[in-house]
Amino acid sequence: MKQEEAMKYNRRIFPFYKGFGWDPLFYSAIIFLFLTEVKGIAPAKVMYAEAIYSLFLLILQIPASILIERIGSRKALILGTIFATIQITMMIFINNFAFLILAYFMSAFGNAIKDIARNTLLYASTQKCKGKNSFGNINAKGSSFSYVFSAISSIFTGYLFVVNPYIPLVLSSLISMLAVILACRFEEIDEEKKENRTILESIKDIKQGFKFIIKSERLKALFLFTAIFVGVLSMITTYEKSLLTDLQIAPQYFGIIFAILTLVQCFSVGYQDKIHNTFKNKTLAFISIPIFISFIMIGIITNLNLNFVLTIIVVMVAYFMHHFFRGPYWVLKERYITNFTNSNNRAKILSVNNFILYIGEIVIKFLGGLLLEYYSTGTSYLIVGTVGLFIILFILKYMKSRVGLNPEDYNEQDIGYIEHN
């Protein structure tokens, strides 16, 4: 297949792959309940396991980057999706904390590969495109597909969990296998040919990427924000389920609640381009500040012991705020990170970004687990919201003169990696 046709074909099927393979269907809404109620693992231990999962992702970033360079984005994406499928299947047989850690290692290995390969493959397929076929818009379309599929599956997930808690995980495994088939349908895009490199040479390239990032004020600021913000968003995903459990929400309603929240994200992600064009270098402030305010709202209302209906209404409004603003962020994050990159350094910079991001996740998830050891979920929300808002405002002030500038306003160290690589 000619390269132009291959690029067009990849752009056409990418939204379907991301729709089925980005966030496991029939999984997220009930996995906390499955682990805590069916498998008897304490909520704090679930949080610790997720911190260890992030540690695995951190350790596997360099091997993943090397593997992608060696075998290409397409083959790497297939391999990563296969390991993600194995992890979902393993969750069915979890019987202790150690086995959970092993399953998370499989997931980390798969996601470390496919999270980079997915972006590099799409970027290669959209590098000459603008408008509806641009990287940002195709990626956003894939996110929308994922949100729609997730919402539809979530509606049934809670009810299926009540019938038999294993049914959602079996369905999730089968759909993840479908994502493997879709990954096999991608065409490899031939970019600039490179000589075969040794592992030591590849590690040296990663080190060079770190050196460049240390010199780049833009990337230092952007990566600092990402490490904190993504860490909090990842931790709060577990807090959401824990809070609903504390409020004694029936399992069958979990799926409906998260289906609605997924649709909120699906709606908001379509505005990522408009948000970026409207708020420019204030975009990250526009997205992050309301999210931390929503955490504070939850913390206050759940600690006041008011009428149950009023508490649920405020919690749902805060959940809506959180998910409305987080939807566009995932697409914009990848867009900002891949700016000023080329085929020689894109995978390296994405890998370094993930490396830093996972450090943030490890620390924040571990702290989130400690909070659940000593405080209720509502109080933990209040602490995270208050402390997090203070920290994010400080980071946003630091970013103001470093991120979101016009290309001509950056210095050579910020965008000169292409010329000096």
Side-chain angles (χ1 to χ4, degrees), residues 138-202:
I138 295 292
N139 203 18
K141 186 177 181 181
S143 298
S144 296
F145 276 37
S146 177
Y147 294 144
V148 170
F149 295 160
S150 182
I152 294 171
S153 65
S154 292
I155 292 173
F156 302 101
T157 300
Y159 291 97
L160 292 172
F161 181 86
V162 172
V163 174
N164 187 313
Y166 291 89
I167 293 177
L169 291 180
V170 172
L171 291 175
S172 184
S173 298
L174 294 174
I175 292 175
S176 189
M177 291 178 190
L178 176 59
V180 173
I181 295 173
L182 286 171
C184 293
R185 300 292 297 172
F186 281 113
E187 296 289 335
E188 191 73 71
I189 304 300
D190 295 328
E191 298 188 88
E192 183 181 343
K193 296 294 183 181
K194 306 172 189 176
E195 296 180 2
N196 291 329
R197 304 182 66 79
T198 66
I199 293 177
L200 289 178
E201 288 173 331
S202 297

Side-chain angles (χ1 to χ4, degrees), residues 119-300:
N119 285 310
T120 54
L121 181 66
L122 178 61
Y123 202 100
S125 300
T126 59
Q127 54 188 318
K128 300 178 182 178
C129 300
K130 296 182 179 180
K132 66 178 184 179
N133 288 324
S134 67
F135 175 90
N137 285 327
I138 295 292
N139 203 18
K141 186 177 181 181
S143 298
S144 296
F145 276 37
S146 177
Y147 294 144
V148 170
F149 295 160
S150 182
I152 294 171
S153 65
S154 292
I155 292 173
F156 302 101
T157 300
Y159 291 97
L160 292 172
F161 181 86
V162 172
V163 174
N164 187 313
Y166 291 89
I167 293 177
L169 291 180
V170 172
L171 291 175
S172 184
S173 298
L174 294 174
I175 292 175
S176 189
M177 291 178 190
L178 176 59
V180 173
I181 295 173
L182 286 171
C184 293
R185 300 292 297 172
F186 281 113
E187 296 289 335
E188 191 73 71
I189 304 300
D190 295 328
E191 298 188 88
E192 183 181 343
K193 296 294 183 181
K194 306 172 189 176
E195 296 180 2
N196 291 329
R197 304 182 66 79
T198 66
I199 293 177
L200 289 178
E201 288 173 331
S202 297
I203 293 175
K204 183 179 179 181
D205 284 343
I206 301 296
K207 290 180 179 178
Q208 289 175 348
F210 268 108
K211 288 178 181 178
F212 168 66
I213 289 165
I214 290 172
K215 294 178 181 177
S216 170
E217 292 296 322
R218 171 184 172 272
L219 287 179
K220 277 195 297 186
L222 192 58
F223 285 5
L224 176 62
F225 178 91
T226 300
I228 301 299
F229 193 55
V230 173
V232 171
L233 293 184
S234 299
M235 180 195 69
I236 290 297
T237 299
T238 300
Y239 271 33
E240 286 179 331
K241 281 86 170 181
S242 181
L243 182 65
L244 294 180
T245 302
D246 289 351
L247 294 174
Q248 299 182 338
I249 302 298
Q252 58 265 37
Y253 298 123
F254 269 57
I256 295 175
I257 290 170
F258 288 104
I260 295 172
L261 294 175
T262 300
L263 289 175
V264 170
Q265 288 189 211
C266 178
F267 171 78
S268 65
V269 76
Y271 289 90
Q272 55 88 21
D273 205 39
K274 187 174 183 179
I275 290 172
H276 168 76
N277 293 330
T278 300
F279 293 94
K280 300 187 185 303
N281 64 350
K282 294 182 176 62
T283 296
L284 295 178
F286 173 77
I287 288 173
S288 60
I289 292 174
I291 287 179
F292 284 100
I293 291 175
S294 73
F295 299 161
I296 295 173
M297 288 171 55
I298 291 171
I300 292 174

